[in-house]
């Protein structure tokens, strides 16, 4: 199974269809069910119904939707104008205004058309029509919209059609899979049951007309996209016509353990491919807690999984896997590894013996299922299966028949290898009862179903060690045509809910159970090691157990168990009671005794640095923090987990707020407490800085030799000194010197006098203090991934480093910030997640209509991984927009933080700043000091003019090693008034002027100027 890969790929549109095939190719790839095979999908001269935008355009249909039947009678739309019932109301933004589905008005290929009724997320939707009396039904048509990816609308994966006499018990007419598949663009697809061609699924191909009062149309929902439905037509005639039959009903139920499952009730998945840390190598010790229940001391007490499925994903060869990208050498490697002396199967055999011996159940064998790799249709040089033979080509480039024959040949070779190797080993404690089909959906290619039928036939015709074999399958939630599993020859099927792996409403579990019952399958339980350390995944695991108990799966259904690589073993051997209980609950579930657990967790008290933690604290970045917590009521089974800025956090870990591990701004500690239910509480702190904090950094970096000359240090410190003088008094002056500090940083970086660590750290302080103009401002975006509030545009400007905005998977995407008023700006910072842009533009506007590129010549920006800074000439505007041009990955655009800054203004800083004059009038003593802003050691000249303009003094002094200077002199005479002092250096184009007063009427009173 492919779930060990990055799971988000599964919910992408591409996972349903391995490739996004053009519509024409998709139609060519259609594979009929056994019922459909009775009549060609497109008889000569007839149009394919999926090509019709307006179902009334079907051949034989008039302007009123009348269509001829195979018996020569004329049928009309029985649903015209009828009311109906929804299982779940449509979205308020796309409502059903009343009989929208039956008003005869078809929606255009545009989401904005009010004829469409929109649904989003949740369970499979049902719409039920009451015809008022039993009538003869010959056809049903349901029209859906595709508008992807621009408007996030996909046609349903499956649309099913039923009839009933009592609105309780339903008979199946047909399951319809999308035939156009999921593709980019705007179009409509009509799902059709035509009794004359399709027959009635619940009866057979010869039954063509259903006699019933109620009609139900169901359609599956996507986890991200919306579903838009418009017109539904029910074609037929009043009363009962010749050939009309009552459709037998079937009670939905799980596939039970029994003959079809070779007696297996609990099938545990053990992945034995190539995995890091030898997790693909199964030892007896790791296996025993899977096939038996062990107590806290490791003693075997009972059985657990009565069946084991060995399968692998990865081959040792990079880029290859058994899901369709493995070659002959990889297949051989897997077989050699599995059947090696001391290999995986030997370990299972030893474990099974030890379990039987411990339980005094001699002769009880562990049932085994082994995978069949997917002979991928893209492979052109698989290798030869016989010595001297040709290398097999599975691709249709050699012809469809030849490609199918080659794939069959490879699978037949595999089955014969398994047979010969198994029989040669003669395992005394194992019984091979079946094979597992690795591909998790029925291929959309034309030969996909045919290959499975062929493998099924071969499998069922052979025996291994004198035993018949069963055919197992575990499709994913979006598996194409999963409903036809019996038609292609599978015996035992559990469908994956896929709830564990992605943020999905808990309704997914109920929906998966309902679909499994409807199709006669069962369900898989899914979990992995993340549940040991992450409360979110712990709760999802409990949700599976609770759902299984509620839906009847626990007691009534055949079950498979996905555990990642080692979750069962790790929970079994854990000494933490809150972790070990996960294993105990699994055992209870297997035994059918598990009780639904929805108990709320205890309150938790959180401390920071040993003191009660109050959210919202602001701390200087010179500090470090650590967090601990304690449950108010500790039953020993409740689990507390934490994340700090989105990453797992262990209690007591010390986090410095500055340096490589720190970050200025807001930080979020999330404490998650999980019992039966989960509660997460968020705590916020803000790491702050100031001029004095930045000076401490400069001092630290000087000691660390991060500066190559002392002038750099003196200059930076002088700017910080000027900031400190104005902090709390004059914000404009603070900003002026902060901008000057920033300009000096860039100057010194260019000159090579400051190293990267110092530059980057001090630069972060600049950005923090200057302030992000976009933070907490109103934002918009062209889309949000799956309309998920966790990825809303505002997340990119909330100041938290772990939150993010994510778009749908569309190149032409935009993100816009409203700064509330016209602001000057010259810098944008973007902290990209993995899903970033490749090319984009930055545009500004004052009216959201007329946009100007901040880069010259309408420049396109090439993005880079991580945090990037874009600088441009200062511009004044109210709106800033990122316009995506091309994505760098298959995902959309995703931004942790979007910052807009104004760093210009440093030109106002003079070469000498911070001049202070002190006059002691009684002693006629004047002291003048100041700071050299470039930090260079040089001579400073002073000229003083008295109130009459006469030169009072000319002097010169050398600056100090701290980058400052001082003059002290006595005034001559008693001339009252304003004196002027001019200060200059050889680097200055003009002197700086400062004035001071002298008053002989007030001798002895000194004052500062």
């Amino acid at each position: 199974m492919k779930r060990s890969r990055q799971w988000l790929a599964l919910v992408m549109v591409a996972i349903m269809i391995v490739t996004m095939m053009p519509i024409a190719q998709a139609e060519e790839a259609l594979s009929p069910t056994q019922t459909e095979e009775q009549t060609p999908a497109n008889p000569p001269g007839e149009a394919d119904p999926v090509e019709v935008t307006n179902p009334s355009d079907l051949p034989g249909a008039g302007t009123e939707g009348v269509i001829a039947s195979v018996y020569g009678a004329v049928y009309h739309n029985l649903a015209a104008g009828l009311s109906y019932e929804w299982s779940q109301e449509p979205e308020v933004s796309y409502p059903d205004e009343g009989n929208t589905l039956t008003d005869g008005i078809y929606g255009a290929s545009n989401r904005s058309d009010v004829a469409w009724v929109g649904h989003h997320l949740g369970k499979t939707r049902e719409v039920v029509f009451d015809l008022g009396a039993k009538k003869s039904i010959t056809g049903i048509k349901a029209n859906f919209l595709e508008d992807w990816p621009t408007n996030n609308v996909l046609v349903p994966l499956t649309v099913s059609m039923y009839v009933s006499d009592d609105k309780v018990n339903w008979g199946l007419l047909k399951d319809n899979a999308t035939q156009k598949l999921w593709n980019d663009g705007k179009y409509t697809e009509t799902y059709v049951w035509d009794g004359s061609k399709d027959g009635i699924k619940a009866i057979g191909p010869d039954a063509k007309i259903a006699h019933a009062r109620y009609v139900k149309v169901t359609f599956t929902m996507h986890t991200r996209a919306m579903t838009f439905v418009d017109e539904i037509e029910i074609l037929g005639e009043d009363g009962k016509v010749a050939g009309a039959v009552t459709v037998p009903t079937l009670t939905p139920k799980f596939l039970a353990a029994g003959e079809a499952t070779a007696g297996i009730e609990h099938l545990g998945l053990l992945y034995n491919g190539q995995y890091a840390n030898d997790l693909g190598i199964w030892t007896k010790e790791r296996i025993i807690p899977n096939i038996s229940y062990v107590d806290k001391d490791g003693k075997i007490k009972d059985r657990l999984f009565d069946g084991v499925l060995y399968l692998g994903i990865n081959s040792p060869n990079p880029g290859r896997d058994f899901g369709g990208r493995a070659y002959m050498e990889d297949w051989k490697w897997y077989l050699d590894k599995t059947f090696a002396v001391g290999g995986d199967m030997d370990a299972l055999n030893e474990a099974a013996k030890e379990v039987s011996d411990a339980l005094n159940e001699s002769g009880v064998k562990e049932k085994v299922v082994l995978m069949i790799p997917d002979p991928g249709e893209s492979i052109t040089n698989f290798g030869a299966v016989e010595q001297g033979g040709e290398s097999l080509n599975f691709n249709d480039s050699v012809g469809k028949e030849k490609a199918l024959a080659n794939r069959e040949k490879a699978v037949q070779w595999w089955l014969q290898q398994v047979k010969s190797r198994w029989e040669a080993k003669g395992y005394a404690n194992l019984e091979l009862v079946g094979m597992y089909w690795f591909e998790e959906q029925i291929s959309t290619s034309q030969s996909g179903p045919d290959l499975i039928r062929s493998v099924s036939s071969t499998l069922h015709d052979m025996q291994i060690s004198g035993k018949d074999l069963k055919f197992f399958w575990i499709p994913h939630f979006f598996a194409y045509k999963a409903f036809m599993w019996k038609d292609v020859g599978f015996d035992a099927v559990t469908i994956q809910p896929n709830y564990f792996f992605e943020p999905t409403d808990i309704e997914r579990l109920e929906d998966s159970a309902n679909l499994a019952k409807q199709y006669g399958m069962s369900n898989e339980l899914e979990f992995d090691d993340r549940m040991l350390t992450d409360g979110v995944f712990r709760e999802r695991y409990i949700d599976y157990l609770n759902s299984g108990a509620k839906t009847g799966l626990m007691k009534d259904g055949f079950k498979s168990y996905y555990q990642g690589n080692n979750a069962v073993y790790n929970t079994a051997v854990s000494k933490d009671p809150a972790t070990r209980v996960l294993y105990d609950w699994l055992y209870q579930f297997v035994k059918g005794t598990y009780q639904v657990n929805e108990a709320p967790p205890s309150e938790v008290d959180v401390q920071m640095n040993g003191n009660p933690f109050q959210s919202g604290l602001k701390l200087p970045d010179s500090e470090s923090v650590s967090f601990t917590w304690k449950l108010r009521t500790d039953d020993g089974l409740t689990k507390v987990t934490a994340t700090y800025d989105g990453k797992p956090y262990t209690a007591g870990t010390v986090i410095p707020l500055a340096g490589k591990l720190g970050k200025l701004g807001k930080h979020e500690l999330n404490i998650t407490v999980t019992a039966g239910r989960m509660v997460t509480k968020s705590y916020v702190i803000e790491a702050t800085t100031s001029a004095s904090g930045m000076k401490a950094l400069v001092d630290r970096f000087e000691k660390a030799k991060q500066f190559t000359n002392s002038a750099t240090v003196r200059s930076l410190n002088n700017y910080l000194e000027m900031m400190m003088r104005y902090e709390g008094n004059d914000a404009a002056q603070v900003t002026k010197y902060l901008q000057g500090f920033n300009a000096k940083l860039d100057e010194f970086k260019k000159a090579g006098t400051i190293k990267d660590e110092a530059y980057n750290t001090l630069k972060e302080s600049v950005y923090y203090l200057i302030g992000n103009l976009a933070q907490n401002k109103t934002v918009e975006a062209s889309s949000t991934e799956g309309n998920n509030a966790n990825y809303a545009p505002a997340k990119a400007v909330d100041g938290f480093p772990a939150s993010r905005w994510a778009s749908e998977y569309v190149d032409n995407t935009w993100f816009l910030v409203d700064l509330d008023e016209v602001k000057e700006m010259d810098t944008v910072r973007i902290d990209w997640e993995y899903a970033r842009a490749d090319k984009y533009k930055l545009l500004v506007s004052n009216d959201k209509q007329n946009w100007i590129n901040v880069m010259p010549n309408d420049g396109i920006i090439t993005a880079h991984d991580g945090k990037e800074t874009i600088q441009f000439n200062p511009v004044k505007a109210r709106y800033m927009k990122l316009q995506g041009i091309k994505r760098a990955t298959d995902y959309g655009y995703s931004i942790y933080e979007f910052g807009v800054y104004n760093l210009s203004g440093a030109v106002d800083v003079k070469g000498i700043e911070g001049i202070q004059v002190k006059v002691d009038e009684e002693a006629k003593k004047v002291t003048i000091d100041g700071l050299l802003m470039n930090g260079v050691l040089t001579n400073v000249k002073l000229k003083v003019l008295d109130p009459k303009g006469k030169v009072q003094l000319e002097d010169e002094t050398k600056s100090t090693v701290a980058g400052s200077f001082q003059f002290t002199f006595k005034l001559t005479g008693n001339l009252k008034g304003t004196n002027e002092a001019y200060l200059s250096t050889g680097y200055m184009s003009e002197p700086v002027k400062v004035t001071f007063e002298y008053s002989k009427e007030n001798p002895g009173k000194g004052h500062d100027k």
Side-chain angles (χ1 to χ4, degrees), residues 800-945:
F800 290 105
S803 61
R804 62 187 176 95
W805 162 70
S807 77
E808 292 292 4
Y809 309 157
V810 185
D811 284 328
N812 182 21
T813 294
W814 53 262
F815 175 90
L816 182 152
V817 182
D818 180 355
L819 302 177
D820 292 340
E821 59 183 347
V822 173
K823 296 279 189 179
E824 186 171 16
M825 65 196 83
D826 59 14
T827 303
V828 166
R829 299 184 87 204
I830 303 172
D831 189 2
W832 293 106
E833 197 245 358
Y834 169 78
R836 64 167 173 82
D838 177 40
K839 308 287 184 185
Y840 66 98
K841 294 181 180 181
L842 290 176
L843 310 173
V844 293
S845 173
N846 285 328
D847 58 8
K848 291 175 69 175
Q849 300 296 322
N850 302 290
W851 295 92
I852 299 172
N853 195 324
V854 301
M855 306 302 288
N857 303 316
D858 197 28
I860 295 175
I861 301 167
T862 299
H864 302 283
D865 289 337
K867 185 175 289 187
E868 68 173 339
T869 301
I870 305 94
Q871 295 178 315
F872 45 87
N873 292 329
V875 60
K876 293 182 177 180
R878 174 172 174 175
Y879 303 98
M880 165 62 74
K881 180 166 75 171
L882 180 151
Q883 176 61 60
I885 297 174
K886 183 181 179 183
R887 294 165 292 147
T889 71
D890 290 332
Y891 303 105
Y893 300 84
S894 185
I895 295 174
Y896 286 114
E897 186 173 10
F898 188 87
V900 180
Y901 301 89
N902 179 28
L903 300 179
S904 61
V907 292
D908 295 332
V909 178
K910 299 178 176 59
I912 296 177
E913 291 278 355
I915 301 171
Q916 296 178 336
V917 181
K918 184 176 182 179
V919 179
D920 184 340
E921 292 185 340
E922 183 175 355
K924 293 186 178 182
K925 181 181 177 182
V926 181
T927 302
I928 300 175
D929 55 44
L931 304 172
L932 296 180
M933 302 309 286
N934 64 6
V936 177
L937 294 177
T938 187
N939 289 337
V940 182
K941 296 180 179 180
L942 169 67
K943 179 188 286 188
V944 181
L945 303 180

Side-chain angles (χ1 to χ4, degrees), residues 2-3 5-15 222-224 478 501-503 530 785 788 791 804 806-807 809 833-835 890-892 894:
K2 304 166 188 175
R3 285 163 290 184
R5 299 180 185 173
Q6 188 174 15
W7 181 254
L8 188 58
L10 182 59
V11 298
M12 293 172 58
V13 175
I15 192 61
H222 196 274
T223 55
R224 293 172 48 232
F478 289 117
F501 308 99
E502 56 175 322
R530 286 175 291 181
E785 182 180 334
N788 189 331
Y791 302 139
R804 62 187 176 95
S807 77
Y809 309 157
E833 197 245 358
Y834 169 78
D890 290 332
Y891 303 105
S894 185

Side-chain angles (χ1 to χ4, degrees), residues 280-353:
I281 299 174
W282 285 90
T283 63
K284 180 183 69 172
E285 290 71 26
R286 285 179 64 202
I287 294 171
I288 285 176
N290 283 270
I291 64 174
S292 70
Y293 172 71
V294 298
D295 65 15
K296 296 175 183 179
D297 298 321
K299 295 180 180 179
I300 297 169
K301 294 297 182 181
D302 200 353
R303 293 194 178 272
L304 195 66
F305 300 150
D306 55 355
V308 165
L309 166 58
Y310 264 141
L311 72 167
I313 294 178
N314 300 318
S315 152
N317 296 306
R320 298 185 186 180
D321 65 69
F322 296 103
R325 299 190 302 174
Y327 294 77
M328 185 64 174
E329 61 180 310
D330 306 303
W331 288 29
K332 286 182 176 179
W333 169 85
Y334 180 83
L335 289 170
D336 290 343
K337 175 183 181 298
T338 302
F339 290 102
V341 174
D344 301 314
M345 204 65 77
D346 278 2
L348 179 59
N349 187 52
E350 292 176 13
K353 181 181 187 306

